[in-house]
Amino acid sequence: MSGYRSEELLISVISRLLADCGHIAVGVSSPIPGSAALLTQATSDRPVRVSVIGAETPEFRTDGGVDLFDSAGQGRIDAFFLSGGQIDGEANINLVGIGDYPEMKVRWSGSFGSAHLYFMVPKVILFREEHTTRTMVDKVDFISAPGWSPDNVHRPGGPYGLVTNLCLFMFDRPNRRFRLESLHPGVTLEEVQDNTGFNFEIPEVVPETQAPDQAKLELLRSTVAQKIADPYPKFAERVWGVKAAA
Amino acid sequence: MTNQIVLPDVEALAARVADGAKVAVFKDGAVPMDLGRALVRKGVRGLHVVTVPTSGLLADMLIGAGCVATIETSGVTMSEFGQAPCFGRAVKSSSLKIMDATCPAVYTGLQAAEKGVPFIPMRGLIGSDILANRPDFKTIDNPYDADGGDDPIVAIPAIRPDVSLIHAPLADAFGNVWIGRQAELKIMAHASAESLITCERLYEGNLLEDPHLAPAVIPSMYVGGIAVAERGGWPLGLTGEYDDDPDAILAYIQAAATPEGFQDWLAEHVFGSGAADARVPAQAAE
């Protein structure tokens, strides 16, 4: 048995994708991306700002909901996280539901800010733990936000990587497809192929995802665990047994 | 002249919401659940609900109670508690017209309305099925494009609600309302023909006279009526005052999993005395 939890592996994978970011914003219900942003902050040799939507702690706060989108529009946010009930091979994401719109078989919440942030934030990291043919599909049933845009559409941002509980894909923007970057420890290529509904590029050699080293694990279990307990108390307690400061 | 804006109770506020009205509600931290319950008791019908930019329990309850014909939203969700049960059922049964949006488009539409202009352009949206299903969103050419015009951008039309519904910590007898941290409530109030306010307490004096409070005040010119509703957000929290009541929210989600269960919940918590009873134990914010 490895000396880290699956959440800690995912946090460390995402954190490496954020290496050059000065301002990382985290949306609602995103404890693993939030922890990754904080790990980046704790390991960077430059100041890193982390904004967490809905957090009470002053250091995580922006100037409100409108400000989040306005500042993304200005280019003040370097990285953001999106997910999807469905994600397809062109990195289109669907947060609306399954079936024919509008009377869908399954209706989810809605698209939130995705149709703006996916365009405006340079590095959008897609994160979805469940990696099955149900979530990783050939074509999404509804495009909440497209993975790519024609050349004439103003789009400084877009998909950068896709992290799941099986692997890391990087998005090849010119070719509009995912490339398998690494397999998480113990996961085989066949397992990823069997559970993915879209075609993706497979390099000749696919490395194993780098596990978090001891120094990172110590940071995660102290600094990061304490800080993430404000916006995500249940997560901090479940993963690290840390309670939020009163 | 100063007193008629403060109404005796939430029923008097609810009476000002007409069938078919376009009603704006805020995402969280300022949600007037007592007023929502009064709307259900009044039996309002055919509302066009604009969620700013999302909603949860309030929209779900109004939908379940048959008050809503159209919802214009970027998301209806119970956040960490799960999916919104009545919303999901209504969408599937086609009993609800849905206008899917994205959060900044809702803010942009309200900002156009508060400025009195027909639209404001925003980035993003192009190529999405949101845009494909919103014929009221129009793609135009950026007239200022340096290369002479191949820069499509989406024009978001002004959203002008008839009424916005807000629960706030404080209001005064002059009709001014102190909203605390939730600055977006001002956009919503400015864009709406009038705002109906419930508040925890009345403030002695004029809120606009206090330089610390004044920047977070919706002035009376936007306010149609005020009623005191202590713990009027329950079971939702009010930012800076008290937290969500997670047990009560979970109980709602479990009950509303079936139409029958939802009717039982209404009978107890909207038409019965359950709502008042449940919040008597002080769940004061820490």
Side-chain angles (χ1 to χ4, degrees):
Chain A
M1 180 58 204
S2 53
Y4 54 84
R5 300 184 56 115
S6 59
E7 292 90 348
E8 291 173 328
L9 176 75
L10 295 172
I11 291 165
S12 116
V13 174
I14 296 172
S15 174
R16 271 197 296 276
L17 301 178
L18 299 169
D20 55 348
C21 295
H23 182 188
I24 304 161
V26 182
V28 293
S29 313
S30 307
I32 288 178
S35 301
L38 291 170
L39 180 60
T40 305
Q41 184 183 56
T43 50
S44 174
D45 47 18
R46 298 181 302 144
V48 174
R49 180 177 176 81
V50 176
S51 299
V52 183
I53 298 174
E56 295 284 327
T57 310
E59 71 165 281
F60 292 150
R61 293 178 62 85
T62 67
D63 201 9
V66 171
D67 173 65
L68 174 83
F69 302 109
D70 289 355
S71 57
Q74 290 181 40
R76 290 177 189 267
I77 298 176
D78 302 314
F80 191 74
F81 306 91
L82 289 171
S83 189
Q86 294 177 329
I87 298 170
D88 73 21
E90 294 188 319
N92 299 309
I93 61 171
N94 173 9
L95 294 159
V96 163
I98 300 173
D100 291 333
Y101 188 82
E103 295 99 12
M104 310 188 95
K105 217 163 53 183
V106 177
R107 170 72 206 202
W108 299 318
S109 305
S111 301
F112 296 94
S114 63
H116 178 258
L117 296 172
Y118 210 18
F119 286 74
M120 303 315 296
V121 177
K123 250 188 199 183
V124 175
I125 291 159
L126 300 173
F127 174 62
R128 176 77 210 230
E129 280 185 89
E130 181 187 335
H131 188 146
T132 62
T133 51
R134 198 179 74 104
T135 56
M136 303 297 150
V137 299
D138 185 40
K139 279 267 170 248
V140 294
D141 290 353
F142 183 98
I143 300 176
S144 287
W148 60 274
S149 299
D151 288 344
N152 65 333
V153 172
H154 179 74
R155 184 161 192 177
Y160 182 66
L162 164 60
V163 177
T164 74
N165 62 6
L166 297 184
C167 66
L168 165 65
F169 293 110
M170 297 303 286
F171 192 67
D172 178 348
R173 287 188 192 176
N175 291 308
R176 299 169 188 166
R177 68 191 301 227
F178 286 106
R179 183 184 73 249
L180 183 60
E181 186 75 12
S182 68
L183 294 162
H184 298 345
V187 177
T188 64
L189 175 60
E190 290 68 32
E191 203 175 343
V192 170
Q193 286 174 313
D194 289 348
N195 286 288
T196 307
F198 55 77
N199 287 313
F200 54 90
E201 189 188 329
I202 305 168
E204 285 199 15
V205 180
V206 186
E208 181 174 279
T209 303
Q210 199 183 320
D213 61 23
Q214 202 53 41
K216 271 191 184 167
L217 286 172
E218 276 163 27
L219 272 175
L220 276 177
R221 291 165 188 176
S222 54
T223 312
V224 172
Q226 288 293 344
K227 283 195 171 186
I228 204 70
D230 158 36
Y232 303 110
K234 284 183 205 144
F235 176 81
E237 189 165 0
R238 178 173 63 77
V239 177
W240 292 301
V242 168
K243 284 197 194 290
Chain B
M1 140 265 161
T2 53
N3 278 327
Q4 64 222 31
I5 198 154
V6 179
L7 301 175
D9 54 26
V10 289
E11 313 296 333
L13 273 186
R16 297 182 66 118
V17 180
D19 285 356
K22 186 181 278 195
V23 174
V25 299
F26 194 60
K27 57 184 160 106
D28 56 25
V31 180
M33 286 303 298
D34 260 358
L35 180 52
R37 286 183 280 266
L39 288 171
V40 173
R41 285 192 292 271
K42 166 182 146 89
V44 71
R45 289 290 176 267
L47 296 179
H48 175 137
V49 171
V50 177
T51 70
V52 182
T54 62
S55 183
L57 189 56
L58 178 58
D60 198 68
M61 178 184 75
L62 291 172
I63 291 166
C67 305
V68 184
T70 300
I71 189 160
E72 186 172 346
T73 188
S74 308
V76 180
T77 173
M78 301 292 187
S79 60
E80 72 258 47
F81 300 102
Q83 301 286 331
C86 296
F87 168 70
R89 265 199 303 279
V91 170
K92 273 185 266 181
S93 70
S94 325
S95 59
L96 179 70
K97 181 185 173 197
I98 180 151
M99 298 167 70
D100 268 287
T102 184
C103 299
V106 177
Y107 289 132
T108 299
L110 293 170
Q111 286 173 315
E114 69 175 346
K115 293 176 202 304
V117 299
F119 66 88
I120 294 179
M122 70 166 264
R123 291 298 189 186
L125 277 169
I126 294 168
S128 71
D129 285 332
I130 298 172
L131 182 61
N133 287 281
R134 289 293 302 263
D136 55 328
F137 290 179
K138 294 194 190 303
T139 306
I140 60 174
D141 283 326
N142 168 11
Y144 298 99
D145 183 46
D147 305 325
D150 188 18
D151 179 18
I153 188 165
V154 179
I156 304 296
I159 302 171
R160 297 185 193 86
D162 296 308
V163 58
S164 69
L165 309 180
I166 294 171
H167 185 56
L170 297 174
D172 67 26
F174 302 92
N176 303 307
V177 179
W178 185 74
I179 54 173
R181 266 185 195 164
Q182 309 276 22
E184 292 85 5
L185 290 169
K186 283 197 170 193
I187 298 171
M188 186 170 126
H190 296 168
S192 303
E194 66 173 19
S195 292
L196 300 179
I197 309 292
T198 56
C199 64
E200 290 291 317
R201 323 173 268 291
L202 285 176
Y203 176 82
E204 298 272 333
N206 188 321
L207 285 160
L208 288 171
E209 281 178 7
D210 182 327
H212 297 291
L213 297 179
V217 168
I218 297 172
S220 59
M221 69 173 281
Y222 298 103
V223 177
I226 294 168
V228 175
E230 210 179 321
R231 302 194 76 77
W234 182 88
L236 301 178
L238 174 60
T239 302
E241 296 273 327
Y242 47 89
D243 292 332
D244 286 349
D245 179 348
D247 295 340
I249 295 170
L250 270 177
Y252 171 86
I253 292 174
Q254 284 159 4
T258 64
E260 300 73 31
F262 176 73
Q263 291 304 324
D264 291 345
W265 187 91
L266 283 186
E268 182 178 356
H269 293 291
V270 175
F271 294 100
S273 59
D277 291 347
R279 60 173 183 231
V280 167
Q283 292 142 346
E286 281 146 48

